[in-house]
Amino acid sequence: MKNELVSGSDIVRRVKATEGSGLRTFRTERPRVWHRTSGAEVWDVDGTRYLDLDSASAVATVGHCHPRVTEAIIRQAPLMTHAPSGAPSVARAEFYERLIGIAPGGLTRVLPAVNGALANETAIQLARSYTGRTEVVTFSGTYLGRSIGVVGKAGKRAYREQVGVRSDAHFLPYPDPFRSPWAGGADPGEVALGLLEAWIHDPASGLDQIACVILEPVQGNGGAVAPTDGFLRGLRELCTKAGIVLIFDEIQAGFGRTGYAWACDHDGVVPDLMTVGKGIGGGMPVAAVLGGEDILRTWEPDAVTSTFLVNALNCVAASAAIDVFTDEKLADRASRLGSTALDQIRAGLKAHPRVGDVRGRGLLIGIEMVADLTHLRPDAGIAAEVAASLGKNGVLVGRSGRHANVIKVCPPLVITETDLAYGVSAVLEALNRL
Ligand code: PLP
């Protein structure tokens, strides 16, 4: 539906005339002006329809504007929108209970957050208070958000440079089955675990006081990378033995995305703390930290807060999204649709001279672009070109990867099979046209 009152170019001009230059708006000359969304579809203000294979940056897990989420917001809006964090509400109780209801066993308490970065900051602060230690271990390619409390723990230096924040975690290489030359041909998961073990036990390793190890059980912005088999279990064992808090960031890979309720379910590993966000809010700004009785009762009242932590509209939207997730069996759906899509993409790109790797779990699929198949040099330019040409043809995909050379396919889990098949064939066509 075209909005007759405005044009896309006029909106771009007005936003660019008034917005500070740090946002992605300024990355392209003529960004798309979103106007309406539904399920896996997006329409711009000029009436052009797009198939969203990116879920608006992995947010539209239950689909854009799911009717049950919309209805919950409409019902709540006239009743109460804001309540301070000291005032419990029905909306809040129902959200917590539902979230715990779908969480891995043993994670029975919640601390709310409004976005993923805040959830990760809270988890790290909590781990420090609980252990009385300070140091944070994470991995190359990690993305925990952009706030000052976590951007120093980002793998990619480009995220820190502009904002003048130094790296302030201890980074181990993430065991990427495709790109781990540092492992010298050995299992990269075992090598990474060996390094961590040495850090912990060698009195001259230079590292002590490790409060937590924080990582994504499947990296999203790092390029849809699942670690090698056995790695998460090994990490669990090491952390338990050393009294280190293990934190899984399930903000992008969780909530059914990888074909399991949580990405860590693939390995049967439960962290001490788990952060959630993105899709959990059904399109509203909701995130949280989950953990067990002991650790989640570390703090005295008022250790943390933020004005909009428990906004009632956000809570009811999240409850509705969780109901949709459960009732529509979205994790199973992601597993089934994702495995078909992955097979099709692999078959369609077999021996493609610019595709180094096709990988994925559930509906989180990565296509890693390279300059050639001999040296596998990452090629960000070609990934950008493919994403742009798909966009021009009405299909939105994500871009990710340590070198920005991975095309990411992560559609809403409610996407119809017809739309997904169309999207996959559009992706194959764009790549095979190269
Ligand atoms: N953690 C992961 C794995 C993410 O993918 C993101 C966002 O992309 C974040 C944390 C940060 O979340 P937010 O942008 O809501 O702060």
Side-chain angles (χ1 to χ4, degrees):
M1 188 205 320
K2 185 170 161 45
N3 184 333
E4 302 293 343
L5 302 176
V6 287
S7 75
S9 47
D10 187 42
I11 295 298
V12 171
R13 185 189 56 73
R14 285 164 58 191
V15 169
K16 286 197 175 186
T18 48
E19 188 174 88
S21 62
L23 292 188
R24 287 185 184 158
T25 329
F26 288 87
R27 206 158 56 173
T28 49
E29 197 184 317
R30 173 73 166 88
R32 252 167 240 116
V33 178
W34 287 33
H35 183 58
R36 189 164 73 86
T37 59
S38 171
E41 295 172 291
V42 174
W43 286 265
D44 71 14
V45 78
D46 299 313
T48 307
R49 172 193 180 267
Y50 298 88
L51 179 63
D52 185 7
L53 296 188
D54 181 45
S55 296
S57 304
V59 167
T61 308
V62 302
H64 292 285
C65 295
H66 193 289
R68 287 175 71 180
V69 175
T70 305
E71 197 192 312
I73 294 170
I74 290 171
R75 242 186 295 119
Q76 180 65 39
L79 202 61
M80 178 176 76
T81 55
H82 174 75
S85 65
S89 67
V90 177
R92 188 162 154 191
E94 292 194 343
F95 165 51
Y96 290 169
E97 285 161 7
R98 276 176 174 78
L99 185 55
I100 291 164
I102 60 165
L107 305 188
T108 51
R109 281 187 182 268
V110 180
L111 275 169
V114 270
N115 59 39
L118 183 60
N120 283 327
E121 283 186 10
T122 305
I124 291 168
Q125 281 170 266
L126 189 53
R128 284 178 168 152
S129 300
Y130 182 69
T131 57
R133 305 174 190 165
T134 50
E135 301 306 301
V136 176
V137 170
T138 189
F139 292 83
S140 54
T142 289
Y143 186 88
L144 303 178
R146 298 289 194 96
S147 64
I148 200 102
V150 285
V151 75
K153 282 111 189 148
K156 219 178 230 184
R157 80 174 71 95
Y159 297 141
R160 296 189 300 270
E161 276 169 351
Q162 274 211 82
V163 291
V165 175
R166 284 196 315 212
S167 146
D168 70 351
H170 304 274
F171 289 86
L172 282 168
Y174 194 80
D176 174 349
F178 175 66
R179 207 180 269 287
S180 291
W182 47 270
D187 178 322
E190 282 175 20
V191 178
L193 290 172
L195 288 170
L196 179 59
E197 194 165 13
W199 274 0
I200 295 169
H201 296 296
D202 177 355
S205 71
L207 181 58
D208 45 24
Q209 300 284 325
I210 302 175
C212 62
V213 173
I214 181 165
L215 73 158
E216 300 158 69
V218 173
Q219 287 191 337
N221 294 0
V225 182
T228 46
D229 285 342
F231 170 69
L232 296 181
R233 271 195 304 283
L235 208 49
R236 176 67 281 179
E237 269 169 40
L238 276 181
C239 287
T240 303
K241 275 194 207 141
I244 294 169
V245 175
L246 179 61
I247 308 174
F248 284 163
D249 173 335
E250 292 264 7
I251 287 162
Q252 183 161 162
F255 204 41
R257 170 70 44 207
T258 65
Y260 299 82
W262 307 103
C264 60
D265 292 341
H266 177 269
D267 300 84
V269 175
V270 180
D272 299 303
L273 295 175
M274 181 171 102
T275 54
V276 300
K278 287 199 182 273
I280 202 96
M284 297 291 276
V286 178
V289 182
L290 285 136
E293 282 298 306
D294 196 24
I295 187 164
L296 261 277
R297 301 194 65 174
T298 302
W299 279 331
E300 298 296 322
D302 210 21
V304 280
T305 192
S306 179
T307 302
F308 295 111
L309 272 188
V310 283
N311 179 277
L313 291 186
N314 293 349
C315 288
V316 296
S319 291
I322 294 171
D323 288 346
V324 169
F325 171 80
T326 309
D327 295 349
E328 297 187 17
K329 299 187 174 47
L330 291 185
D332 292 346
R333 197 156 197 284
S335 169
R336 188 166 51 80
L337 265 55
S339 105
T340 308
L342 185 62
D343 287 349
Q344 286 168 346
I345 296 174
R346 279 196 172 134
L349 298 176
K350 211 162 160 198
H352 191 295
R354 308 299 294 275
V355 173
D357 193 30
V358 179
R359 54 180 173 256
R361 277 194 191 153
L363 283 171
L364 180 55
I365 296 173
I367 304 168
E368 177 148 355
M369 305 305 297
V370 293
D372 63 83
L373 291 183
T374 315
H375 302 101
L376 301 174
R377 270 199 325 280
D379 193 334
I382 202 124
E385 202 183 296
V386 170
S389 103
L390 278 163
K392 276 194 194 122
N393 290 321
V395 176
L396 307 178
V397 292
R399 267 181 65 209
S400 65
R402 315 240 293 263
H403 307 273
N405 64 322
V406 178
I407 295 164
K408 196 171 70 173
V409 176
C410 61
L413 310 189
V414 296
I415 189 171
T416 65
E417 294 186 37
T418 314
D419 276 349
L420 183 58
Y422 172 80
V424 165
S425 62
V427 169
L428 294 178
E429 202 185 304
L431 282 159
N432 285 323
R433 231 186 293 124
L434 288 176

